[in-house]
Amino acid sequence: GAVVSQHPSWVICKSGTSVKIECRSLDFQATTMFWYRQFPKQSLMLMATSNEGSKATYEQGVEKDKFLINHASLTLSTLTVTSAHPEDSSFYICSASTGGAYGYTFGSGTRLTVV
Amino acid sequence: GENVEQHPSTLSVQEGDSAVIKCTYSDSASNYFPWYKQELGKRPQLIIDIRSNVGEKKDQRIAVTLNKTAKHFSLHITETQPEDSAVYFCAPGVGSEKLVFGKGTKLTVNP
């Protein structure tokens, strides 16, 4: 079945630094990838939708200059949290869609802790 | 945009009992209705889904029913087991567009 690899699985960084999270579709081409954030005991909140070769579409309230998304190929999307602060500490999960199908495959998630 | 409500927020049942979780949505264009199970610290796992041209779907102990007129769909788990304990999310969507997740239901199955 479709597999999405997400790295790193966890990261601790200092406040003010940037962190990059990668999301790769291993055995299929992902025309669309989604980035979610999940705070403890809360639901998954969509941050942005990225389509290969075009700019990401951000949800209301999500700072596009702080959460940089790049979808340079059909198998790779990256999320960079710039100038991270403790309030950015969260569980970040990507999911990929093949487009036109009803299947979404989630990455394993990245636990970000900003100290 | 889609407004999703999920009830109840917590559900505790005895092993062997049935559990039902309901999800209501607002976007009449929604045509894809999945349920996800998420264990602590892990990714959501799709457990069952249904499309708008079908009213009910069953997979062993799990079933999903859809009422498009009333804009709600429900997850039914029969003969619950302790390993069913997790947080369950509904996430209605339109085709391959973004999914909007409900707030989740924490299911606890007591042995």
Side-chain angles (χ1 to χ4, degrees), chain A residues 13-67:
Chain A
C13 71
K14 290 185 177 180
S15 187
T17 61
S18 296
V19 173
K20 180 184 283 188
I21 301 169
E22 291 189 350
C23 182
R24 292 180 185 272
S25 56
L26 298 185
D27 50 3
F28 68 101
Q29 292 184 329
T31 54
T32 305
M33 287 189 174
F34 304 91
W35 286 96
Y36 293 85
R37 179 168 54 183
Q38 185 177 34
F39 292 109
K41 298 186 179 181
Q42 294 189 22
S43 185
L44 284 80
M45 298 301 295
L46 181 67
M47 299 175 66
T49 303
S50 73
N51 292 293
E52 184 266 340
S54 62
K55 289 185 178 180
T57 301
Y58 290 81
E59 294 299 302
Q60 191 172 9
V62 178
E63 301 173 59
K64 62 179 181 180
D65 294 330
K66 180 171 181 62
F67 299 99

Side-chain angles (χ1 to χ4, degrees), chain A residues 4 32 34 36 38 42-44 46 49 59 91 93 97 99-104 106-109 111, chain B residues 31-32 36 38 41-46 49 51 89 93-104:
Chain A
V4 172
T32 305
F34 304 91
Y36 293 85
Q38 185 177 34
Q42 294 189 22
S43 185
L44 284 80
L46 181 67
T49 303
E59 294 299 302
F91 192 50
I93 310 177
S97 166
Y102 293 82
Y104 300 83
F106 282 87
S108 54
R111 174 77 57 193
Chain B
N31 57 8
Y32 178 60
Y36 287 88
Q38 188 180 31
K42 296 187 177 180
R43 78 185 86 191
Q45 296 277 3
L46 177 69
D49 58 7
R51 298 169 194 177
F89 294 97
V94 180
S96 60
E97 296 181 12
K98 63 185 182 183
L99 302 177
V100 178
F101 282 78
K103 290 188 177 349

Side-chain angles (χ1 to χ4, degrees), chain B residues 12-58:
Chain B
S12 181
V13 300
Q14 289 299 121
E15 183 176 359
D17 288 350
S18 296
V20 181
I21 304 170
K22 184 177 179 179
C23 182
T24 60
Y25 60 95
S26 62
D27 190 348
S28 57
S30 293
N31 57 8
Y32 178 60
F33 307 96
W35 284 97
Y36 287 88
K37 175 184 180 182
Q38 188 180 31
E39 297 176 341
L40 191 62
K42 296 187 177 180
R43 78 185 86 191
Q45 296 277 3
L46 177 69
I47 56 171
I48 197 165
D49 58 7
I50 197 169
R51 298 169 194 177
S52 59
N53 58 342
V54 178
E56 182 174 353
K57 182 178 178 180
K58 189 174 182 180

Side-chain angles (χ1 to χ4, degrees), chain B residues 58-94:
Chain B
K58 189 174 182 180
D59 182 5
Q60 299 182 338
R61 298 187 297 109
I62 296 173
V64 55
T65 56
L66 171 64
N67 185 328
K68 278 215 78 178
T69 303
K71 294 183 190 170
H72 65 73
F73 61 111
S74 297
L75 174 68
H76 305 255
I77 305 175
T78 59
E79 300 172 33
T80 53
Q81 301 167 3
E83 50 265 39
D84 294 329
S85 296
V87 179
Y88 292 81
F89 294 97
C90 63
V94 180

